[in-house]
PDB file of all heavy atoms in Angstrom:
ATOM      1  N   SER A   1       0.899  -1.153  -0.002  1.00 84.00           N
ATOM      2  CA  SER A   1      -0.001   0.032   0.037  1.00 84.00           C
ATOM      3  C   SER A   1       0.932   1.238   0.023  1.00 84.00           C
ATOM      4  O   SER A   1       1.492   1.535  -0.980  1.00 84.00           O
ATOM      5  CB  SER A   1      -0.983  -0.052   1.199  1.00 84.00           C
ATOM      6  OG  SER A   1      -0.243  -0.263   2.422  1.00 84.00           O
ATOM      7  N   ALA A   2       1.052   1.836   1.146  1.00 91.00           N
ATOM      8  CA  ALA A   2       1.871   3.096   1.162  1.00 91.00           C
ATOM      9  C   ALA A   2       3.355   2.766   1.066  1.00 91.00           C
ATOM     10  O   ALA A   2       3.833   1.710   1.556  1.00 91.00           O
ATOM     11  CB  ALA A   2       1.629   3.873   2.463  1.00 91.00           C
ATOM     12  N   MET A   3       4.111   3.680   0.475  1.00 93.00           N
ATOM     13  CA  MET A   3       5.555   3.599   0.459  1.00 93.00           C
ATOM     14  C   MET A   3       6.113   4.977   0.910  1.00 93.00           C
ATOM     15  O   MET A   3       5.419   5.945   0.745  1.00 93.00           O
ATOM     16  CB  MET A   3       6.147   3.228  -0.876  1.00 93.00           C
ATOM     17  CG  MET A   3       5.753   1.824  -1.314  1.00 93.00           C
ATOM     18  SD  MET A   3       6.631   1.271  -2.813  1.00 93.00           S
ATOM     19  CE  MET A   3       8.289   1.091  -2.185  1.00 93.00           C
ATOM     20  N   GLY A   4       7.280   4.944   1.465  1.00 95.00           N
ATOM     21  CA  GLY A   4       7.792   6.217   1.977  1.00 95.00           C
ATOM     22  C   GLY A   4       9.280   6.205   2.136  1.00 95.00           C
ATOM     23  O   GLY A   4       9.938   5.285   1.948  1.00 95.00           O
ATOM     24  N   TRP A   5       9.711   7.441   2.439  1.00 98.00           N
ATOM     25  CA  TRP A   5      11.086   7.693   2.815  1.00 98.00           C
ATOM     26  C   TRP A   5      11.202   8.279   4.157  1.00 98.00           C
ATOM     27  O   TRP A   5      10.446   9.109   4.566  1.00 98.00           O
ATOM     28  CB  TRP A   5      11.777   8.598   1.751  1.00 98.00           C
ATOM     29  CG  TRP A   5      11.974   8.043   0.430  1.00 98.00           C
ATOM     30  CD1 TRP A   5      11.185   8.156  -0.667  1.00 98.00           C
ATOM     31  CD2 TRP A   5      13.127   7.345  -0.029  1.00 98.00           C
ATOM     32  NE1 TRP A   5      11.683   7.524  -1.727  1.00 98.00           N
ATOM     33  CE2 TRP A   5      12.873   6.984  -1.362  1.00 98.00           C
ATOM     34  CE3 TRP A   5      14.282   6.859   0.615  1.00 98.00           C
ATOM     35  CZ2 TRP A   5      13.755   6.247  -2.098  1.00 98.00           C
ATOM     36  CZ3 TRP A   5      15.133   6.186  -0.210  1.00 98.00           C
ATOM     37  CH2 TRP A   5      14.952   5.844  -1.419  1.00 98.00           C
ATOM     38  N   TYR A   6      12.176   7.685   4.920  1.00 98.00           N
ATOM     39  CA  TYR A   6      12.529   8.262   6.237  1.00 98.00           C
ATOM     40  C   TYR A   6      14.013   8.471   6.282  1.00 98.00           C
ATOM     41  O   TYR A   6      14.781   7.990   5.398  1.00 98.00           O
ATOM     42  CB  TYR A   6      12.139   7.196   7.346  1.00 98.00           C
ATOM     43  CG  TYR A   6      10.704   7.075   7.629  1.00 98.00           C
ATOM     44  CD1 TYR A   6       9.832   6.500   6.665  1.00 98.00           C
ATOM     45  CD2 TYR A   6      10.190   7.528   8.763  1.00 98.00           C
ATOM     46  CE1 TYR A   6       8.467   6.458   6.968  1.00 98.00           C
ATOM     47  CE2 TYR A   6       8.821   7.432   9.099  1.00 98.00           C
ATOM     48  CZ  TYR A   6       8.020   6.917   8.158  1.00 98.00           C
ATOM     49  OH  TYR A   6       6.640   6.759   8.461  1.00 98.00           O
ATOM     50  N   ARG A   7      14.444   9.255   7.259  1.00 98.00           N
ATOM     51  CA  ARG A   7      15.935   9.491   7.367  1.00 98.00           C
ATOM     52  C   ARG A   7      16.260   9.539   8.868  1.00 98.00           C
ATOM     53  O   ARG A   7      15.444   9.834   9.710  1.00 98.00           O
ATOM     54  CB  ARG A   7      16.271  10.790   6.704  1.00 98.00           C
ATOM     55  CG  ARG A   7      15.759  12.055   7.359  1.00 98.00           C
ATOM     56  CD  ARG A   7      16.112  13.266   6.526  1.00 98.00           C
ATOM     57  NE  ARG A   7      15.812  14.532   7.207  1.00 98.00           N
ATOM     58  CZ  ARG A   7      15.967  15.718   6.716  1.00 98.00           C
ATOM     59  NH1 ARG A   7      16.505  15.874   5.487  1.00 98.00           N
ATOM     60  NH2 ARG A   7      15.551  16.808   7.357  1.00 98.00           N
ATOM     61  N   GLN A   8      17.530   9.228   9.072  1.00 98.00           N
ATOM     62  CA  GLN A   8      18.098   9.195  10.424  1.00 98.00           C
ATOM     63  C   GLN A   8      19.409   9.776  10.435  1.00 98.00           C
ATOM     64  O   GLN A   8      20.352   9.192   9.830  1.00 98.00           O
ATOM     65  CB  GLN A   8      18.029   7.763  11.043  1.00 98.00           C
ATOM     66  CG  GLN A   8      18.449   7.763  12.496  1.00 98.00           C
ATOM     67  CD  GLN A   8      18.081   6.370  13.109  1.00 98.00           C
ATOM     68  OE1 GLN A   8      17.933   5.348  12.463  1.00 98.00           O
ATOM     69  NE2 GLN A   8      18.011   6.335  14.443  1.00 98.00           N
ATOM     70  N   ALA A   9      19.577  10.849  11.109  1.00 96.00           N
ATOM     71  CA  ALA A   9      20.878  11.475  11.299  1.00 96.00           C
ATOM     72  C   ALA A   9      21.553  10.981  12.531  1.00 96.00           C
ATOM     73  O   ALA A   9      20.859  10.445  13.444  1.00 96.00           O
ATOM     74  CB  ALA A   9      20.719  13.018  11.353  1.00 96.00           C
ATOM     75  N   PRO A  10      22.880  11.001  12.585  1.00 92.00           N
ATOM     76  CA  PRO A  10      23.550  10.444  13.757  1.00 92.00           C
ATOM     77  C   PRO A  10      23.072  11.137  15.076  1.00 92.00           C
ATOM     78  O   PRO A  10      22.938  12.358  15.202  1.00 92.00           O
ATOM     79  CB  PRO A  10      25.025  10.879  13.552  1.00 92.00           C
ATOM     80  CG  PRO A  10      25.149  10.978  12.026  1.00 92.00           C
ATOM     81  CD  PRO A  10      23.811  11.542  11.598  1.00 92.00           C
ATOM     82  N   GLY A  11      22.708  10.217  16.066  1.00 94.00           N
ATOM     83  CA  GLY A  11      22.214  10.803  17.329  1.00 94.00           C
ATOM     84  C   GLY A  11      20.805  11.301  17.398  1.00 94.00           C
ATOM     85  O   GLY A  11      20.388  11.758  18.426  1.00 94.00           O
ATOM     86  N   LYS A  12      20.158  11.075  16.287  1.00 96.00           N
ATOM     87  CA  LYS A  12      18.682  11.533  16.212  1.00 96.00           C
ATOM     88  C   LYS A  12      17.817  10.379  15.876  1.00 96.00           C
ATOM     89  O   LYS A  12      18.203   9.353  15.359  1.00 96.00           O
ATOM     90  CB  LYS A  12      18.599  12.654  15.149  1.00 96.00           C
ATOM     91  CG  LYS A  12      19.324  13.869  15.477  1.00 96.00           C
ATOM     92  CD  LYS A  12      19.001  15.020  14.527  1.00 96.00           C
ATOM     93  CE  LYS A  12      19.656  16.270  14.900  1.00 96.00           C
ATOM     94  NZ  LYS A  12      19.369  17.402  13.917  1.00 96.00           N
ATOM     95  N   GLN A  13      16.485  10.578  16.097  1.00 97.00           N
ATOM     96  CA  GLN A  13      15.553   9.583  15.817  1.00 97.00           C
ATOM     97  C   GLN A  13      15.225   9.584  14.292  1.00 97.00           C
ATOM     98  O   GLN A  13      15.363  10.589  13.673  1.00 97.00           O
ATOM     99  CB  GLN A  13      14.212   9.802  16.632  1.00 97.00           C
ATOM    100  CG  GLN A  13      14.401   9.609  18.116  1.00 97.00           C
ATOM    101  CD  GLN A  13      12.997   9.668  18.798  1.00 97.00           C
ATOM    102  OE1 GLN A  13      12.163  10.413  18.361  1.00 97.00           O
ATOM    103  NE2 GLN A  13      12.869   8.948  19.848  1.00 97.00           N
ATOM    104  N   ARG A  14      14.773   8.403  13.839  1.00 97.00           N
ATOM    105  CA  ARG A  14      14.344   8.287  12.479  1.00 97.00           C
ATOM    106  C   ARG A  14      13.121   9.169  12.321  1.00 97.00           C
ATOM    107  O   ARG A  14      12.182   9.139  13.159  1.00 97.00           O
ATOM    108  CB  ARG A  14      14.064   6.827  12.135  1.00 97.00           C
ATOM    109  CG  ARG A  14      13.936   6.531  10.670  1.00 97.00           C
ATOM    110  CD  ARG A  14      13.761   5.088  10.374  1.00 97.00           C
ATOM    111  NE  ARG A  14      15.008   4.365  10.716  1.00 97.00           N
ATOM    112  CZ  ARG A  14      15.218   3.100  10.389  1.00 97.00           C
ATOM    113  NH1 ARG A  14      14.312   2.400   9.799  1.00 97.00           N
ATOM    114  NH2 ARG A  14      16.323   2.522  10.796  1.00 97.00           N
ATOM    115  N   GLU A  15      13.075   9.867  11.141  1.00 97.00           N
ATOM    116  CA  GLU A  15      11.927  10.793  11.000  1.00 97.00           C
ATOM    117  C   GLU A  15      11.398  10.675   9.577  1.00 97.00           C
ATOM    118  O   GLU A  15      12.132  10.262   8.653  1.00 97.00           O
ATOM    119  CB  GLU A  15      12.376  12.253  11.129  1.00 97.00           C
ATOM    120  CG  GLU A  15      13.429  12.770  10.195  1.00 97.00           C
ATOM    121  CD  GLU A  15      13.701  14.214  10.417  1.00 97.00           C
ATOM    122  OE1 GLU A  15      13.193  14.858  11.278  1.00 97.00           O
ATOM    123  OE2 GLU A  15      14.643  14.707   9.652  1.00 97.00           O
ATOM    124  N   LEU A  16      10.169  10.940   9.442  1.00 97.00           N
ATOM    125  CA  LEU A  16       9.393  10.814   8.135  1.00 97.00           C
ATOM    126  C   LEU A  16       9.967  11.964   7.213  1.00 97.00           C
ATOM    127  O   LEU A  16      10.108  13.087   7.659  1.00 97.00           O
ATOM    128  CB  LEU A  16       7.911  11.046   8.267  1.00 97.00           C
ATOM    129  CG  LEU A  16       7.161  11.231   6.978  1.00 97.00           C
ATOM    130  CD1 LEU A  16       7.077   9.872   6.192  1.00 97.00           C
ATOM    131  CD2 LEU A  16       5.761  11.671   7.351  1.00 97.00           C
ATOM    132  N   VAL A  17      10.194  11.550   5.949  1.00 98.00           N
ATOM    133  CA  VAL A  17      10.532  12.533   4.991  1.00 98.00           C
ATOM    134  C   VAL A  17       9.296  12.716   4.018  1.00 98.00           C
ATOM    135  O   VAL A  17       8.842  13.820   3.858  1.00 98.00           O
ATOM    136  CB  VAL A  17      11.740  12.073   4.047  1.00 98.00           C
ATOM    137  CG1 VAL A  17      11.963  13.046   2.908  1.00 98.00           C
ATOM    138  CG2 VAL A  17      13.007  11.959   4.937  1.00 98.00           C
ATOM    139  N   ALA A  18       8.800  11.634   3.437  1.00 98.00           N
ATOM    140  CA  ALA A  18       7.659  11.769   2.603  1.00 98.00           C
ATOM    141  C   ALA A  18       7.046  10.314   2.396  1.00 98.00           C
ATOM    142  O   ALA A  18       7.708   9.336   2.575  1.00 98.00           O
ATOM    143  CB  ALA A  18       8.066  12.251   1.225  1.00 98.00           C
ATOM    144  N   ARG A  19       5.716  10.339   2.194  1.00 96.00           N
ATOM    145  CA  ARG A  19       5.001   9.084   1.852  1.00 96.00           C
ATOM    146  C   ARG A  19       4.120   9.289   0.678  1.00 96.00           C
ATOM    147  O   ARG A  19       3.667  10.386   0.426  1.00 96.00           O
ATOM    148  CB  ARG A  19       4.154   8.666   3.072  1.00 96.00           C
ATOM    149  CG  ARG A  19       4.913   8.337   4.297  1.00 96.00           C
ATOM    150  CD  ARG A  19       3.968   7.742   5.386  1.00 96.00           C
ATOM    151  NE  ARG A  19       3.556   6.378   5.045  1.00 96.00           N
ATOM    152  CZ  ARG A  19       2.526   5.757   5.636  1.00 96.00           C
ATOM    153  NH1 ARG A  19       1.731   6.378   6.484  1.00 96.00           N
ATOM    154  NH2 ARG A  19       2.282   4.530   5.301  1.00 96.00           N
ATOM    155  N   ILE A  20       3.862   8.114   0.001  1.00 95.00           N
ATOM    156  CA  ILE A  20       2.922   8.155  -1.190  1.00 95.00           C
ATOM    157  C   ILE A  20       2.078   6.954  -1.124  1.00 95.00           C
ATOM    158  O   ILE A  20       2.521   5.822  -0.775  1.00 95.00           O
ATOM    159  CB  ILE A  20       3.782   8.258  -2.503  1.00 95.00           C
ATOM    160  CG1 ILE A  20       2.865   8.489  -3.667  1.00 95.00           C
ATOM    161  CG2 ILE A  20       4.685   7.072  -2.671  1.00 95.00           C
ATOM    162  CD1 ILE A  20       3.604   8.889  -4.944  1.00 95.00           C
ATOM    163  N   ILE A  21       0.809   7.096  -1.445  1.00 89.00           N
ATOM    164  CA  ILE A  21      -0.101   5.939  -1.420  1.00 89.00           C
ATOM    165  C   ILE A  21      -0.470   5.637  -2.925  1.00 89.00           C
ATOM    166  O   ILE A  21      -0.244   6.447  -3.817  1.00 89.00           O
ATOM    167  CB  ILE A  21      -1.317   6.250  -0.602  1.00 89.00           C
ATOM    168  CG1 ILE A  21      -2.139   7.421  -1.135  1.00 89.00           C
ATOM    169  CG2 ILE A  21      -0.915   6.458   0.838  1.00 89.00           C
ATOM    170  CD1 ILE A  21      -3.454   7.642  -0.362  1.00 89.00           C
ATOM    171  N   PRO A  22      -1.045   4.481  -3.177  1.00 81.00           N
ATOM    172  CA  PRO A  22      -1.347   4.065  -4.561  1.00 81.00           C
ATOM    173  C   PRO A  22      -2.099   5.092  -5.372  1.00 81.00           C
ATOM    174  O   PRO A  22      -1.880   5.221  -6.569  1.00 81.00           O
ATOM    175  CB  PRO A  22      -2.152   2.763  -4.345  1.00 81.00           C
ATOM    176  CG  PRO A  22      -1.609   2.216  -3.107  1.00 81.00           C
ATOM    177  CD  PRO A  22      -1.413   3.389  -2.222  1.00 81.00           C
ATOM    178  N   GLY A  23      -3.043   5.855  -4.793  1.00 84.00           N
ATOM    179  CA  GLY A  23      -3.748   6.875  -5.575  1.00 84.00           C
ATOM    180  C   GLY A  23      -2.918   8.043  -5.946  1.00 84.00           C
ATOM    181  O   GLY A  23      -3.333   8.866  -6.754  1.00 84.00           O
ATOM    182  N   GLY A  24      -1.747   8.127  -5.425  1.00 85.00           N
ATOM    183  CA  GLY A  24      -0.800   9.225  -5.692  1.00 85.00           C
ATOM    184  C   GLY A  24      -0.746  10.376  -4.651  1.00 85.00           C
ATOM    185  O   GLY A  24       0.037  11.256  -4.801  1.00 85.00           O
TER     186      GLY A  24
END
């Protein structure tokens, strides 16, 4: 279903960058 990108910098929590669902 949904796909997305997350990022994690040193010493920080993983955070959402962007998500996309099948409808766009």
Side-chain angles (χ1 to χ4, degrees):
S1 52
M3 294 188 71
W5 288 95
Y6 285 70
R7 68 184 185 182
Q8 187 167 17
K12 295 187 177 181
Q13 290 188 332
R14 193 173 296 189
E15 61 177 1
L16 171 70
V17 174
R19 294 188 74 195
I20 188 167
I21 62 175

